[in-house]
């Protein structure tokens, strides 16, 4: 820590004595409370016992009880492997509280026993006298005692983008930065009693909401469970009525139940979400919870921060008004190179103004690699950039001997520097203009600049002699106005287009910020967030206490909520959720943690955000771009559509797998089983898996953002009718036809027991028909509205490779003797293969006819699935 002047120490109290410090020390010291992260074992077990996993465990147990231990082991392996994969993907220790430790400095300067000394921040106790200067991060909650031009950056706690001027008696909080000035302060709270720790506690206690996907998957499993168990019991009862022995009836009931359980669905969902998460990562969006990928597509309301999300979070001078004329400045960020346009006299006057503004500033710009950044107050850094852009010289003149500084004072709202006999002044226009001689035209110029949403500063000078003992008020009079500076925090490029895309997608947007209403509404208008006649501006303190009233007030597009506290953002998210909205909340500060955790989708900034915000969020924007949210929403909608695609694909297969058990049961065993349980498992896990995964990687439709998010469920009547009423029966009919054709061709009659070799060959034909039907079904499931021949073959190259691999696996399962013997089948005869091959044209024709009839019934229905 740098050496300090002695003024504060000389005028302050002597601080605590050593004995007082010892008496006030608390166990653990000034450490923020840390919540122990969840046990990895507990997280892993959770992946093994959710609703879908429990269904599969039950199926495995039934298989073992039914005398099929191989099947039970195979299903258990599927559950374990999927659980491990999900655990690896989502194992992010919830270190939000731990990250808070990085926000507390390691050393702090205090006065004890009348002596200034540096101590570990952990040793602070209530009542300690702390000395502050520019650059310090506060180690505890403090009450200011003596203040000299102190300004504090409280953005991480309040969201306020500009440093706040402080006076004696004001509180300041742990984790905030001193941007400018000096102060002495007394410690009022440490460790878990600080406001920072309070927000951390609020973040931890807020329960994450269940994602729409998890709710829908639970519903899907309930539907499948009811159907599987119901049909299993039904087949058992029918078999008993038709004279089937109870033991065999139970075995076939187990087979029916297992056949209807899509064992491959769980890994398909997980891998599809992981694929989407990988695509988003390439697009600068890091997904921390896999299920959040689909939730993005369901988003109906986005509550966005202003600074750093809609804007670039860097001040820039765009206009300089002087009595000689107006100068326009066009530059990128803080880079010292820019276009400066205006009359020659005006540009010269702007140069003089910029030099004067820098002389009474401490913030500067500095180069880090190829990028120019702010060192100190961003506004003062922007003035330094202006000076360099206009070619001003002598910017270090205020650092020599004889220089006097009158620090910024919230009462005066200006600061000044006396250097080489000249007093340079900058501050709020109304505080400077009143002290200027004939500021002609300036009030009108201030109004025009403010109307553009710019922050306005006035700069003035005087070469009048200033007494050595003069106060700031005495020195800062009879000034000559140099001009006005208009600064902006420019919107991010493309944010207006991104907001328009959100609205095209039926998503409402509100700005929720700690900034003032004037600044926030100006940015809302500039970015296009503002909706004339519909938008409103409301301060956090004016928000209704009643949740329903709050929801009704804010459930509109283009609302601007300013001066919000962390509790306000949390209430806003919960109120909108109570109206049925799926809420995405953006944020970057510690104050945003509770709301990020409570929202359906918490979106944190990766570059400018704090670790606390990133750990509490579901999605981290690595480039801090609002437009990246739109990309994520599009991918989320694609993910929802893709899950419906491979659900249709899996359920179609289940019908074909179920048919042999139904036929066997209904005929009382007169028709032998066309497919065994191990063959069913091979279809679900081996042949079906790759095409299903490829369907899960289907690119987003160009129309994915046309209109509000789909309100349809993952499994609805339309999907069930397509899978169970059309595609499944066609596939099952061809499969059973191929099976019976081989049997009848060998001279078999109904009720006879066929030879083992003949039965294996017929079973191979049925197995082949299902696999070929599924290869055609994979292409049919790419769209719910267009037939296969109207789709781009190169639209999903992964699917072509997956189907090729599926056919190769089919050949291996039929032709490799140990595998074929294990599954209980042989390669089909030529006749059986030809009949099995009919599954491809039959399924594609049925699919095309269904889509044609559906298009005639609902010609104007939008589809997000191509």
């Amino acid at each position: 820590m740098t050496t300090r002047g002695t003024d504060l120490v000389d005028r302050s109290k002597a601080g605590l004595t050593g004995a007082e410090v010892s008496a006030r020390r608390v166990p653990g010291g000034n450490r923020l409370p840390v919540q122990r992260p969840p046990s990895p074992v507990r997280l892993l077990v959770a992946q093994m016992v959710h609703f879908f996993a429990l269904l599969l465990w039950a199926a495995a147990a039934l298989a073992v009880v039914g005398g099929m231990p191989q099947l039970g082991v195979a299903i258990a392996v599927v559950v374990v492997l999927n659980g491990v994969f999900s655990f690896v993907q989502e194992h992010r220790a919830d270190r939000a509280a731990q990250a808070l430790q990085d926000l507390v400095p390691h050393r702090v300067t205090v006065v004890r026993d009348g002596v200034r000394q540096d101590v570990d921040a952990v040793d602070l106790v209530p009542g300690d006298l702390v000395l502050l200067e520019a650059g310090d991060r506060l180690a505890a909650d403090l009450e200011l005692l003596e203040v000299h031009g102190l300004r504090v950056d409280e953005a991480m706690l309040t969201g306020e983008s500009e440093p706040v001027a402080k006076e004696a008696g004001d509180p300041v909080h742990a984790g905030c930065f001193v941007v400018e000035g000096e102060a002495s302060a007394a410690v009022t709270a440490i460790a878990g009693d600080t406001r920072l720790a309070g927000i951390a506690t609020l973040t931890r206690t807020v329960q994450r909401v269940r994602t729409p996907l998890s709710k829908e998957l639970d519903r899907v499993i309930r539907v499948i469970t009811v159907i599987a168990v119901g049909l299993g019991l039904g087949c058992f009862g029918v078999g008993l009525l038709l004279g089937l022995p109870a033991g065999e009836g139970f075995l076939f009931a187990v087979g029916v139940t297992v056949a209807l359980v899509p064992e491959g669905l769980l890994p398909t969902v997980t891998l599809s979400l992981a694929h989407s998460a990988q695509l988003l990562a390439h697009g600068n969006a890091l997904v921390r919870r896999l299920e959040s990928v689909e939730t993005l597509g369901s988003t109906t309301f986005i509550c966005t921060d202003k600074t750093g999300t809609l804007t670039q979070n860097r001040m820039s001078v765009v206009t300089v008004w002087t009595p000689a004329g107006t100068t326009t400045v066009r530059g990128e960020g803080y880079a010292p190179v820019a276009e400066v346009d205006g009359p020659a006299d005006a540009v010269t006057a702007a140069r003089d103004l910029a030099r004067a503004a820098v002389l009474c500033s401490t913030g500067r710009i500095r180069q880090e690699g190829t990028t120019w950044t702010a060192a100190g107050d961003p506004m003062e850094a922007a003035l330094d950039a202006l000076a360099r852009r206009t070619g001003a010289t002598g910017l270090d003149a205020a650092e020599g001997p004889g220089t006097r500084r009158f620090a910024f004072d919230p009462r005066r709202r200006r600061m000044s520097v006396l250097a080489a006999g000249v007093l340079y002044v900058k501050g709020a226009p109304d505080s400077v203009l009143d002290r200027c001689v004939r500021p002609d035209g300036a009030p009108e110029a201030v109004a025009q600049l403010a109307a553009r949403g710019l922050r306005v500063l006035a700069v003035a000078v005087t070469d009048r002699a200033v007494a050595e003992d003069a106060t700031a008020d005495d020195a800062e009079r009879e000034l000559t106005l140099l001009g006005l500076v208009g600064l902006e925090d420019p919107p991010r490029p493309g944010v207006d287009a991104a907001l328009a895309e959100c609205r095209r997608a039926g998503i409402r947007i509100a700005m929720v910020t700690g900034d003032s209403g004037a600044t926030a509404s100006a940015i809302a208008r500039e970015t296009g967030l503002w909706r004339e006649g519909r938008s409103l501006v409301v301060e956090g303190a004016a928000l209704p206490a009643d949740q329903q009233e709050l929801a009704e007030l804010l459930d509109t597009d283009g609302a601007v909520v300013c001066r919000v506290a962390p509790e306000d953002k949390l209430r806003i998210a919960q109120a909108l959720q109570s109206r049925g909205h799926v809420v995405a909340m953006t944020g970057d500060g510690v104050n945003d943690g509770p709301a990020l955790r409570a929202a359906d989708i918490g979106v944190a900034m990766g570059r400018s955000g704090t670790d606390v915000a990133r750990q509490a969020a579901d999605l981290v924007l690595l480039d801090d771009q609002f437009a990246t949210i739109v990309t994520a929403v599009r991918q989320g909608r694609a993910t929802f559509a893709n899950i419906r695609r491979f659900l249709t694909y899996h359920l179609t297969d289940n019908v074909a797998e179920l048919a042999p058990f139904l036929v066997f049961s209904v005929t009382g065993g007169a028709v032998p089983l066309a497919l065994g349980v191990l063959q069913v498992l091979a279809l679900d896990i081996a042949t079906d898996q790759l095409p299903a995964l490829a369907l899960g990687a289907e690119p987003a439709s160009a129309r994915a953002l046309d209109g509000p998010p789909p309100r349809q469920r993952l499994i609805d009547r339309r999907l069930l009718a397509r899978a169970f009423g059309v595609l499944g029966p066609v596939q099952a009919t061809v499969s059973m036809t191929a099976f019976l054709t081989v049997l009848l061709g060998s001279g078999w009659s109904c009720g006879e027991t066929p030879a083992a070799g003949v039965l294996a060959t017929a079973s191979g034909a049925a197995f082949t028909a299902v696999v070929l039907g599924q290869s055609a079904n994979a292409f049919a499931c790419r769209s719910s509205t267009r037939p296969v021949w109207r789709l781009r073959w190169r639209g999903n190259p992964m699917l072509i490779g997956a189907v090729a691999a599926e056919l190769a696996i089919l050949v291996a399962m039929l032709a490799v003797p140990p595998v074929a013997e294990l599954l209980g089948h042989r390669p089909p005869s030529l006749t059986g293969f030809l009949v099995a091959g009919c599954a491809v044209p039959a399924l594609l024709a049925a699919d095309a006819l269904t889509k044609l009839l559906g298009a005639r019934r609902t010609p104007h229905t939008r589809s997000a699935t191509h």
Side-chain angles (χ1 to χ4, degrees):
M1 191 167 290
T2 59
T3 302
R4 303 167 185 263
T6 60
D7 290 351
L8 288 177
V9 178
D10 293 340
R11 294 197 295 267
S12 68
K13 296 183 297 182
L16 300 177
T17 65
E20 289 174 324
V21 170
S22 298
R24 300 184 184 196
R25 191 164 282 140
V26 297
N30 183 31
R31 289 188 176 92
L32 292 171
V34 178
Q35 183 185 35
R36 179 175 295 180
S39 164
V41 174
R42 181 179 176 184
L43 294 176
L44 180 59
V45 170
Q47 295 292 345
M48 307 291 182
V49 296
H50 55 76
F51 195 17
F52 203 168
L54 290 176
L55 176 62
L56 294 181
W57 284 121
L62 283 175
V64 173
V65 172
M68 297 170 285
Q70 306 98 321
L71 175 61
V73 170
I75 295 175
V77 169
V78 170
V79 178
V80 172
L81 289 179
N82 184 81
V84 171
F85 179 81
S86 298
F87 169 75
V88 171
Q89 286 288 318
E90 295 196 20
H91 180 38
R92 308 279 200 280
D94 195 359
R95 294 185 296 269
Q98 181 62 48
L100 287 171
Q101 298 294 338
D102 297 332
L103 301 181
V104 176
H106 298 295
R107 304 288 289 177
V108 63
T109 299
V110 299
V111 177
R112 291 175 178 172
D113 293 316
V115 179
R116 184 179 69 245
Q117 52 188 291
D118 285 354
V119 300
D120 286 337
V122 71
D123 290 332
L124 279 181
V125 298
D128 250 329
L129 180 63
V130 178
L131 303 183
L132 304 174
E133 68 173 8
D136 286 352
R137 189 192 286 270
L138 306 185
D141 285 357
L142 310 169
E143 179 182 345
L144 297 173
L145 302 176
E146 190 169 352
V147 175
H148 295 270
L150 190 73
R151 299 175 71 200
V152 179
D153 181 354
E154 299 178 328
M156 69 169 53
L157 291 181
T158 67
E160 171 65 64
S161 62
E162 297 179 5
V164 179
K166 297 292 184 179
E167 296 182 314
D170 287 346
V172 289
H173 301 286
C176 298
F177 277 106
V178 176
V179 174
E180 184 179 292
E182 296 178 321
S184 63
V187 175
T188 58
I190 63 172
D193 295 328
T194 62
R195 179 168 173 76
L196 184 64
I199 295 176
T201 300
L202 183 59
T203 300
R204 289 196 303 269
T205 56
V206 172
Q207 295 296 317
R208 290 192 186 276
V209 296
R210 295 194 66 209
T211 65
L213 178 62
S214 64
K215 296 175 184 177
E216 272 297 287
L217 284 177
D218 282 355
R219 179 178 171 274
V220 168
I221 302 311
R222 284 196 296 270
V223 171
I224 292 176
T225 300
V226 170
I227 294 175
V229 174
L231 285 177
L233 293 175
C235 287
F236 179 69
V238 171
L240 292 179
L241 291 176
L242 295 177
L244 195 67
E248 292 187 29
F250 175 75
L251 177 63
F252 292 120
V254 170
V256 169
T257 303
V258 173
L260 278 174
V261 174
E263 293 87 356
L265 180 58
L266 182 58
T268 303
V269 170
T270 301
L271 291 172
S272 176
L273 293 174
H275 174 75
S276 295
Q278 185 178 27
L279 291 179
L280 288 174
H282 290 312
N284 290 316
L286 178 64
V287 176
R288 298 190 64 251
R289 288 199 300 162
L290 287 183
E291 289 181 355
S292 301
V293 174
E294 187 278 332
T295 310
L296 283 161
S298 304
T299 300
T300 60
F301 208 110
I302 297 176
C303 296
T304 178
D305 202 353
K306 177 188 73 68
T307 305
T309 307
L310 299 179
T311 68
Q312 299 179 28
N313 194 22
R314 50 188 182 188
M315 301 296 290
S316 178
V317 177
V318 295
T319 301
V320 179
W321 177 90
T322 66
T326 300
T327 301
T328 301
V329 183
R330 301 184 186 89
E332 290 292 331
Y334 295 113
V337 179
E339 294 181 11
V340 181
D341 296 331
D345 290 347
V347 173
T348 300
R351 183 183 305 121
D352 295 338
L353 176 149
R355 178 177 181 273
V358 170
L359 290 177
C360 55
S361 299
T362 57
R364 295 290 187 270
I365 61 173
R366 64 185 176 192
Q367 189 171 14
E368 296 179 355
T370 59
T371 304
W372 288 85
T373 60
D377 189 329
M379 181 200 70
E380 294 187 344
L383 296 175
D384 185 29
L386 172 67
R388 302 192 191 201
R389 289 168 175 176
T390 56
T393 58
L395 302 181
D396 298 328
E399 298 180 2
T403 299
R404 289 188 61 190
R405 290 183 176 274
F406 298 98
F408 180 86
D409 184 291
R411 178 184 58 81
R412 292 163 40 239
R413 293 193 299 137
R414 58 185 181 271
M415 67 171 298
S416 57
V417 171
L418 179 65
V422 178
L423 185 73
Y424 303 93
V425 184
K426 80 171 190 297
D430 55 348
S431 73
V432 175
L433 295 184
D434 289 345
R435 291 179 167 259
C436 290
V437 178
R438 298 183 60 188
D440 296 338
E444 294 79 9
V446 170
Q448 292 173 1
L449 293 175
R452 292 169 52 188
L454 301 178
R455 182 179 180 184
V456 185
L457 284 178
V459 182
V461 299
T462 180
D463 56 3
R464 179 181 55 82
V466 176
E468 207 171 294
D469 59 348
T471 64
D473 284 337
D474 290 337
E476 296 165 348
R477 58 186 177 83
E478 299 179 21
L479 303 176
T480 299
L481 181 68
L482 295 181
L484 306 170
V485 177
L487 301 102
E488 71 170 0
D489 181 3
R492 287 190 176 276
V495 71
D496 52 346
L499 290 169
E501 281 280 274
C502 286
R503 284 172 173 142
R504 181 167 70 89
I507 301 173
R508 296 183 176 185
I509 309 162
M511 180 190 294
V512 182
T513 177
D515 267 341
S516 67
T519 302
S521 59
I523 291 297
R525 287 182 169 87
E526 192 170 352
T527 58
L529 184 143
W530 188 267
R531 305 296 296 271
E532 291 296 339
R534 298 173 59 183
S535 292
L536 59 97
V537 180
V538 58
E539 287 199 4
L543 292 174
D546 181 74
Q547 186 182 63
Q548 184 175 354
E549 292 181 16
L550 176 62
E552 292 177 355
L553 175 68
L554 298 183
D555 192 4
T556 183
D557 191 21
V560 174
V561 189
C562 57
R563 301 295 190 195
V564 293
E567 297 80 3
D568 294 329
K569 298 188 77 168
L570 178 60
R571 289 181 56 229
I572 289 169
Q574 294 172 337
L576 292 172
Q577 287 168 333
S578 72
R579 299 270 288 190
H581 282 293
V582 176
V583 179
M585 177 76 72
T586 75
D588 55 9
V590 174
N591 62 309
D592 297 319
L596 292 177
R597 194 174 180 90
D600 297 280
I601 287 287
V603 183
M605 303 299 110
R607 289 183 179 177
S608 60
T610 62
D611 284 344
V612 179
R614 287 191 288 266
Q615 292 293 336
D618 305 294
L619 183 75
V620 179
L621 304 183
L622 302 180
D623 57 0
D624 290 9
Q625 296 275 4
F626 182 87
T628 304
I629 299 178
V630 180
T631 302
V633 170
R634 180 183 289 107
Q635 185 60 45
R637 292 194 181 182
T639 300
F640 180 86
N642 289 345
I643 293 176
R644 282 179 58 87
R645 287 187 176 100
F646 58 67
L647 269 173
T648 306
Y649 178 81
H650 277 302
L651 294 179
T652 298
D653 196 17
N654 289 155
V655 176
E657 295 166 352
L658 174 65
F661 294 92
L662 290 177
V663 171
F664 180 89
S665 179
V666 169
T667 61
V671 177
L673 268 178
L675 295 172
V677 177
L678 285 180
Q679 287 172 295
V680 168
L681 186 66
L683 289 169
D684 283 345
I685 301 301
T687 62
D688 275 1
Q689 200 62 26
L690 289 178
L693 291 174
L695 286 172
E698 186 75 21
S701 166
R703 295 179 293 168
L705 294 181
D706 287 351
R711 291 291 185 179
Q712 62 193 140
R713 296 184 177 274
L714 281 178
I715 289 186
D716 54 14
R717 291 182 179 178
R718 182 179 178 185
L719 187 149
L720 290 175
R722 188 179 177 199
F724 288 164
V726 180
L727 301 180
V730 169
Q731 196 175 111
T733 299
V734 176
S735 174
M736 291 304 301
T737 300
F739 176 74
L740 293 173
T741 297
V742 174
L743 287 182
L744 293 172
S746 67
W748 169 84
S749 297
C750 185
E752 296 180 353
T753 301
V758 172
L759 180 60
T761 302
S763 182
F767 188 86
T768 301
V770 175
V771 175
L772 294 179
Q774 282 294 86
S775 66
N777 187 29
F779 291 100
C781 287
R782 287 188 62 200
S783 172
S784 61
T785 57
R786 291 188 287 171
V788 168
W789 51 84
R790 291 188 57 194
L791 301 174
R792 291 175 55 247
W793 283 94
R794 296 182 181 179
N796 188 351
M798 287 181 62
L799 186 59
I800 297 176
V803 169
E806 179 184 29
L807 297 178
I809 293 172
L810 170 63
V811 172
M813 287 184 170
L814 293 172
V816 177
V819 177
E821 184 177 349
L822 174 66
L823 297 178
H825 62 213
R826 293 181 179 178
S829 62
L830 177 60
T831 302
F833 182 78
L834 291 176
V835 175
C838 293
V840 174
L843 189 138
L844 294 180
D847 174 69
L849 180 60
T850 302
K851 290 173 180 175
L852 177 62
L853 294 176
R856 288 180 176 178
R857 285 195 299 267
T858 55
H860 301 296
T861 300
R862 178 184 71 87
S863 173
T865 59
H866 297 283

